[in-house]
Amino acid sequence: MDLTLNTDIGKVNVRVAAWIENKGRILVSQFPDGVVSLP
């Protein structure tokens, strides 16, 4: 989910993701439409 802030001169969009690795594997989120992203 993005955070959108309205300012006097426009909008600022903020997105944060995390790289979580354990034993050489990376945690990802997979959505029903097949899109894969970092949590």
Side-chain angles (χ1 to χ4, degrees), residues 9-36:
I9 59 173
K11 293 183 180 181
V12 175
N13 292 313
V14 180
R15 180 179 292 172
V16 177
W19 182 282
I20 301 171
E21 189 174 341
N22 185 22
K23 297 180 182 176
R25 299 176 71 187
I26 302 167
L27 178 67
V28 296
S29 298
Q30 185 169 9
F31 297 94
D33 62 359
V35 173
V36 177

Side-chain angles (χ1 to χ4, degrees), residues 1-7 10-17:
M1 177 188 280
D2 293 345
L3 172 65
T4 301
L5 304 170
N6 293 315
T7 69
K11 293 183 180 181
V12 175
N13 292 313
V14 180
R15 180 179 292 172
V16 177

